[in-house]
C-alpha cells in the first residue's frame, strides 16, 4: 500500500478522520467512530512507523503488557462474583458456549493458517487469536443485539478464567509445528496478564464499587485508548510483514470472524437453543480477546509477527460485530409460544 502510494498518507489519514467526524454526528453511525479512528491511527503507523517504535531511546513495545493489565483490571471492575452464578442458572448455555468457543475458533484459525500458506510466525498468530477467550466487547454487542446479556457476561468470565489452562495447550497442539510453545511459560504469562488483574478488579468492584465514580467513568476511556495505542505499536513494528501479507491477513481475519458468528449461531440452532441464546453464543464465539493475544505475542518476543493477526482481527471484529448488532436490533427475537403464554398469565394475575 505505502510502496505504491508514498505521498497519499496524509490524504488517507484525513479521509478516516473526516469520516469519523461525519459519523459522530448521527446516532446510527456513532458506534463506528472509534473503529474509524483506529483505521486513521493504523494508517499513520504504516506511513510513519518511526514515530511509534521508540521515544528517547525507550522501546514503546515495553508498554504493551502493563497496558493490557490495566485493560484486564478494567474488565474486572466491570464484573462481579454474581457473573459466575450464571454457570448454575444457565449450565447448558454456558457449557455450549464454552465448547463452541474453544473448538470453532482454534480449528478455523488452524485451517486458515494452512489455507493461506502464511509464514510460520504469521500462521501462529492466526491460530493464537482463535485460542484466546471472549473479549469484553462481546458484552456490548450482545446488549445491542438484544441477546442474552447475562449469558454473555458469564461466558466472558468463564472463558477468561479457563484461558491459562486451555489456550497454552491449544497453541502447543495446533501451532507447535510453526513456533516453539512453552505451555508452562504461557500459562504463567496469562495468569500475570489476565487472572491477577481481573481478580484485583473483582476485589475493587466488591469493596469500592460506586465509591470512586471518577475511576468508574474513566476506565472505559483508558481501555479504548490503550487498545488503540497497542494496535499502533504493533502496526509500526510489523509494517514490513503487513506489506507482504496484509491483504491476505485481512481476508483471513474476516473469514475467521464471520465463521465464528455463523458456526456458533447455527450449531446452537441445530441443538434447538432459543434465539436469544443462539445470538449470544454466536457473538461470544466470533469476538476474541485480542489484547490478551497481543500480550502473549509480546511475551514470546514475536510482537511484529505473531502479534499481527490479533492487531488486524480486533478492529475488524468491532466493525462486523456492530453491523451484526444493528441487524439483530432491528429484528428482535420472537418469543416462543410457551414464553408468551407465561407472560400473559403473569400479566393477568
Amino acid at each position: 500500500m505505502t510502496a505504491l502510494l508514498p505521498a497519499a498518507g496524509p490524504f488517507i489519514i484525513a479521509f478516516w478522520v473526516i469520516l469519523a467526524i461525519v459519523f459522530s454526528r448521527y446516532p446510527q453511525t456513532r458506534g463506528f467512530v472509534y473503529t474509524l479512528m483506529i483505521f486513521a491511527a493504523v494508517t499513520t503507523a504504516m506511513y510513519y512507523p518511526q514515530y511509534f517504535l521508540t521515544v528517547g531511546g525507550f522501546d514503546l513495545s515495553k508498554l504493551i503488557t502493563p497496558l493490557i493489565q490495566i485493560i484486564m483490571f478494567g474488565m474486572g471492575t466491570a464484573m462481579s462474583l454474581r457473573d459466575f452464578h450464571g454457570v448454575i442458572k444457565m449450565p447448558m448455555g454456558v457449557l455450549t458456549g464454552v465448547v463452541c468457543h474453544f473448538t470453532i475458533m482454534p480449528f478455523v484459525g488452524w485451517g486458515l493458517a494452512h489455507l493461506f500458506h502464511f509464514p510460520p510466525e504469521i500462521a501462529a498468530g492466526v491460530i493464537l487469536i482463535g485460542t484466546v477467550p471472549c473479549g469484553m466487547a462481546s458484552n456490548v454487542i450482545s446488549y445491542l443485539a438484544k441477546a442474552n446479556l447475562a449469558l454473555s457476561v458469564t461466558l466472558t468470565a468463564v472463558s477468561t478464567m479457563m484461558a491459562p489452562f486451555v489456550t497454552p495447550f491449544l497453541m502447543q497442539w495446533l501451532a507447535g509445528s510453526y513456533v516453539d510453545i512453552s505451555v508452562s511459560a504461557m500459562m504463567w504469562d496469562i495468569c500475570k496478564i489476565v487472572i491477577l488483574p481481573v481478580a484485583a478488579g473483582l476485589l475493587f468492584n466488591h469493596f469500592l464499587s460506586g465509591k470512586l465514580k471518577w475511576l468508574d467513568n474513566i476506565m472505559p476511556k483508558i481501555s479504548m485508548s490503550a487498545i488503540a495505542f497497542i494496535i499502533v505499536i504493533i502496526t509500526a513494528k510489523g509494517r514490513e510483514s503487513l506489506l507482504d501479507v496484509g491483504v491476505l491477513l485481512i481476508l483471513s481475519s474476516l473469514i475467521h470472524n464471520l465463521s465464528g458468528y455463523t458456526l456458533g449461531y447455527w450449531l446452537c440452532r441445530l441443538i434447538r437453543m432459543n434465539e436469544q441464546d443462539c445470538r449470544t453464543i454466536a457473538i461470544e464465539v466470533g469476538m476474541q480477546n485480542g489484547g490478551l493475544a497481543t500480550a502473549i505475542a509480546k511475551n514470546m518476543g514475536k510482537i511484529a509477527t505473531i502479534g499481527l493477526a490479533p492487531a488486524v482481527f480486533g478492529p475488524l471484529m468491532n466493525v462486523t460485530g456492530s453491523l451484526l448488532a444493528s441487524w439483530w436490533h432491528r429484528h428482535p427475537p420472537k418469543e416462543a409460544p410457551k414464553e408468551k403464554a407465561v407472560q400473559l398469565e403473569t400479566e393477568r394475575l
Side-chain angles (χ1 to χ4, degrees):
M1 179 183 70
T2 56
L4 295 175
L5 302 169
F11 299 101
I12 299 175
I13 295 166
F15 168 77
W16 292 123
V17 172
I18 292 168
L19 195 60
I21 293 170
V22 172
F23 274 34
S24 69
R25 297 178 180 273
Y26 304 97
Q28 300 91 334
T29 56
R30 203 165 287 156
F32 296 103
V33 171
Y34 176 69
T35 301
L36 290 172
M37 292 307 296
I38 292 285
F39 289 163
V42 166
T43 305
T44 305
M46 286 292 289
Y47 275 95
Y48 311 106
Q50 65 274 20
Y51 298 114
F52 305 99
L53 298 175
T54 60
V55 172
F58 177 77
D59 185 355
L60 291 177
S61 67
K62 292 180 180 179
L63 296 174
I64 289 176
T65 298
L67 286 173
I68 295 296
Q69 289 172 322
I70 291 171
I71 294 169
M72 293 300 105
F73 174 79
M75 176 189 284
T77 63
M79 296 164 59
S80 71
L81 295 177
R82 289 190 302 274
D83 296 332
F84 295 91
H85 292 174
V87 179
I88 300 170
K89 295 178 181 177
M90 302 169 286
M92 183 61 180
V94 173
L95 177 63
T96 303
V98 168
V99 170
C100 285
H101 186 87
F102 284 119
T103 55
I104 291 172
M105 295 303 278
F107 286 108
V108 170
W110 178 84
L112 290 169
H114 279 70
L115 177 66
F116 285 95
H117 301 291
F118 288 124
E121 292 184 1
I122 303 293
V126 173
I127 296 170
L128 175 61
I129 191 62
T131 63
V132 293
C134 319
M136 279 295 283
S138 62
N139 303 153
V140 178
I141 298 301
S142 291
Y143 171 75
L144 296 174
K146 295 185 180 295
N148 185 339
L149 184 58
L151 177 59
S152 174
V153 172
T154 301
L155 282 172
T156 299
V158 172
S159 66
T160 298
M161 295 303 153
M162 291 177 63
F165 312 101
V166 178
T167 298
F169 286 103
L170 284 173
M171 279 297 291
Q172 185 183 54
W173 181 23
L174 299 176
S177 60
Y178 293 116
V179 291
D180 291 330
I181 304 293
S182 170
V183 171
S184 58
M186 190 176 289
M187 288 177 69
W188 175 234
D189 285 341
I190 296 174
C191 285
K192 289 188 297 183
I193 296 163
V194 175
I195 303 301
L196 295 179
V198 168
L202 282 168
L203 290 172
F204 177 91
N205 186 34
H206 181 73
F207 292 106
L208 297 172
S209 179
K211 296 180 181 178
L212 295 174
K213 286 286 187 183
W214 64 270
L215 185 60
D216 293 338
N217 294 333
I218 202 173
M219 276 309 299
K221 295 181 177 63
I222 291 175
S223 297
M224 292 171 71
S225 300
I227 290 168
F229 187 64
I230 289 165
I231 290 173
V232 166
I233 294 172
I234 296 169
T235 303
K237 278 194 165 289
R239 179 180 180 274
E240 297 308 316
S241 295
L242 271 174
L243 289 174
D244 290 336
V245 300
V247 174
L248 289 180
L249 194 56
I250 292 171
L251 179 59
S252 168
S253 297
L254 183 62
I255 295 171
H256 202 174
N257 177 228
L258 296 181
S259 296
Y261 297 145
T262 305
L263 294 174
Y265 179 82
W266 285 105
L267 282 174
C268 291
R269 287 293 300 270
L270 190 64
I271 60 174
R272 300 183 181 279
M273 296 184 71
N274 67 59
E275 176 66 15
Q276 264 198 323
D277 290 353
C278 289
R279 293 183 179 191
T280 306
I281 292 173
I283 292 166
E284 291 298 315
V285 172
M287 302 191 76
Q288 304 291 86
N289 190 334
L292 173 58
T294 297
I296 292 172
K298 168 65 174 63
N299 286 356
M300 293 174 69
K302 308 288 186 181
I303 192 66
T305 49
I306 294 178
L308 286 181
V312 172
F313 191 98
L316 202 59
M317 78 173 184
N318 288 325
V319 173
T320 59
S322 299
L323 292 172
L324 183 61
S326 298
W327 170 260
W328 272 339
H329 186 83
R330 293 194 299 270
H331 298 81
K334 294 179 180 178
E335 291 179 307
K338 183 177 179 180
E339 293 171 344
K340 185 67 174 176
V342 171
Q343 180 184 349
L344 291 172
E345 182 65 18
T346 303
E347 291 173 355
R348 185 181 68 79
L349 294 173

